[in-house]
Amino acid sequence: MKKMIQPNENGLFAIHQVADITGLSKQVIRKWEERYGIIQPKRMDNGYRIYSQQDVKTILKMKLLSEQGHSPKHAALLVKEFTEEPEVSIQKEKSPYYEQWNEYVFQLLEKGRHCDEIELNFILKQAYHHVGLEQFLTNIVAPFLKEIGKKWENQEWNEYQESVSSLVVRDFLVQIRRNYQYRENAPFVLGACLPYEQHEVPLHLVLLRFMMKGWKTQLIGTSPALGAIESLVTKLKPDVVLLSATTTLPFETDSQLLRRLDQFAEKQIDIAFYLGGQGAVTNLLDYKPKAIIVTNSLEGILK
């Protein structure tokens, strides 16, 4: 694991440290400073540049916007606009780049790049307590996971970087749910990935939104056996069962899976079954269930 980059006693970084943090060359960093004026680093007595943590965040914002297809000139204008009038930019214009500009997202991306689990946990905890659960999920966790996916697909991050960052987020979300206090008569929702489905973080996010509405939640682990899902539903008698398939792998592996689940759901007359995820929507062409509602919208379920 790569050693964590630390600032000096004044909280400042040398240019080679900034280059390591951002993945940019020293030449590009100097060019952005001189040509676009996005930062004004201080100078030491020997003339060497030293950068504040805010300077580093600004450079990371510029880099991300450039990666999204903006020219350096336009990216610099967007960064300056947000830095100078963040509240006006967000509230009046509803900038599509707001979620990407969240400071916590940039900090998480930096620590995730170095696979620093301790710092990732610290930032998640700090963000959660600072903005509250709803904003934490919407403006920090979701954008961070989205960027992890992009970096993995673009081969900017390797499997270890992607795995560490995703697992830290998952474990943190589990901790939030486990520590939540429920009312005695709270409605109960049981969540489960389908067999052969490994992507459980999207389901954690959905269950947390139920939790914020006063529901008791429980999640079956990744890729459970079909019999395990049926057994727990029969035993726990939840009000709602949420099934998730982010990929089409469950249906490709077992072509009769959805049909059997649907037949089981038909027998549970007091339990509502929902199935979500892109994999489930794609699979509707092969079989349309009778008792399971396929949806990617929470609004109807939570009413």
Side-chain angles (χ1 to χ4, degrees):
M1 185 180 296
K2 194 166 183 176
K3 186 179 178 181
M4 184 63 194
I5 300 172
Q6 297 290 347
N8 64 18
E9 63 275 10
N10 296 317
L12 301 171
F13 298 92
I15 191 169
H16 70 273
Q17 292 177 302
V18 178
D20 195 14
I21 292 169
T22 62
L24 298 167
S25 69
K26 291 184 284 186
Q27 291 78 11
V28 168
I29 295 169
R30 285 194 289 262
K31 176 182 176 181
W32 285 359
E33 171 201 341
E34 295 166 358
R35 181 170 296 182
Y36 304 110
I38 59 169
I39 54 172
Q40 289 82 42
K42 297 179 180 179
R43 297 270 186 164
M44 299 176 66
D45 293 339
N46 57 14
Y48 290 137
R49 293 169 170 84
I50 46 175
Y51 299 80
S52 68
Q53 293 187 33
Q54 185 58 50
D55 289 335
V56 175
K57 293 173 186 175
T58 300
I59 294 169
L60 284 168
K61 293 172 187 176
M62 175 97 167
K63 178 187 177 186
L64 185 55
L65 288 168
S66 298
E67 289 172 347
Q68 291 174 340
H70 296 275
S71 69
K73 183 178 179 180
H74 189 214
L77 288 173
L78 290 171
V79 169
K80 288 179 182 178
E81 176 188 353
F82 178 77
T83 302
E84 293 168 3
E85 296 183 304
E87 295 185 2
V88 173
S89 175
I90 294 168
Q91 294 173 4
K92 289 187 177 180
E93 298 182 15
K94 296 183 180 179
S95 168
Y97 309 107
Y98 167 60
E99 66 176 23
Q100 306 295 355
W101 284 348
N102 188 285
E103 297 293 346
Y104 288 115
V105 176
F106 284 98
Q107 292 179 43
L108 289 167
L109 288 169
E110 177 195 339
K111 306 309 178 186
R113 178 171 175 262
H114 295 292
C115 302
D116 192 323
E117 296 181 47
I118 294 176
E119 284 295 318
L120 281 167
N121 264 303
F122 177 77
I123 295 167
L124 288 170
K125 185 181 296 184
Q126 192 178 45
Y128 171 52
H129 288 296
H130 180 226
V131 304
L133 182 55
E134 185 171 1
Q135 293 300 315
F136 175 70
L137 297 177
T138 303
N139 295 332
I140 296 170
V141 173
F144 178 48
L145 292 173
K146 185 177 179 181
E147 286 303 317
I148 291 174
K150 284 182 180 178
K151 290 182 180 299
W152 166 248
E153 290 175 4
N154 297 335
Q155 298 184 332
E156 295 177 45
W157 280 18
N158 59 36
E159 184 175 355
Y160 185 60
Q161 291 170 308
E162 186 272 340
S163 177
V164 166
S165 297
S166 298
L167 289 176
V168 168
V169 171
R170 183 203 67 183
D171 292 345
F172 191 83
L173 297 179
V174 169
Q175 184 180 357
I176 292 175
R177 285 184 39 250
R178 285 178 177 170
N179 292 334
Y180 190 78
Q181 300 296 314
Y182 301 101
R183 299 192 315 272
E184 286 273 338
N185 61 343
F188 175 32
V189 55
L190 178 66
C193 292
L194 291 188
Y196 314 107
E197 177 60 64
Q198 299 290 335
H199 296 80
E200 68 178 70
V201 175
L203 193 51
H204 278 292
L205 294 173
V206 173
L207 290 177
L208 281 164
R209 297 193 183 283
F210 270 82
M211 190 188 77
M212 287 189 289
K213 294 289 186 179
W215 288 63
K216 177 183 177 182
T217 66
Q218 185 170 332
L219 176 66
I220 305 174
T222 56
S223 188
L226 177 58
I229 296 175
E230 295 173 344
S231 175
L232 279 171
V233 170
T234 303
K235 178 182 178 180
L236 298 176
K237 298 294 183 184
D239 298 283
V240 170
V241 174
L242 290 181
L243 303 169
S244 175
T246 303
T247 68
T248 57
L249 185 60
F251 312 108
E252 293 169 358
T253 306
D254 183 351
S255 61
Q256 297 302 307
L257 175 62
L258 184 53
R259 188 182 301 273
R260 293 206 300 272
L261 274 170
D262 193 39
Q263 291 170 352
F264 171 74
E266 281 188 284
K267 300 174 184 177
Q268 315 305 312
I269 57 176
D270 296 323
I271 302 174
F273 284 77
Y274 295 88
L275 174 60
Q278 187 57 46
V281 174
T282 302
N283 191 69
L284 278 182
L285 297 174
D286 299 325
Y287 175 77
K288 293 185 178 181
K290 300 175 183 177
I292 298 175
I293 300 172
V294 180
T295 179
N296 278 329
S297 172
L298 288 179
E299 282 68 23
I301 308 175
L302 287 169
K303 285 182 180 178

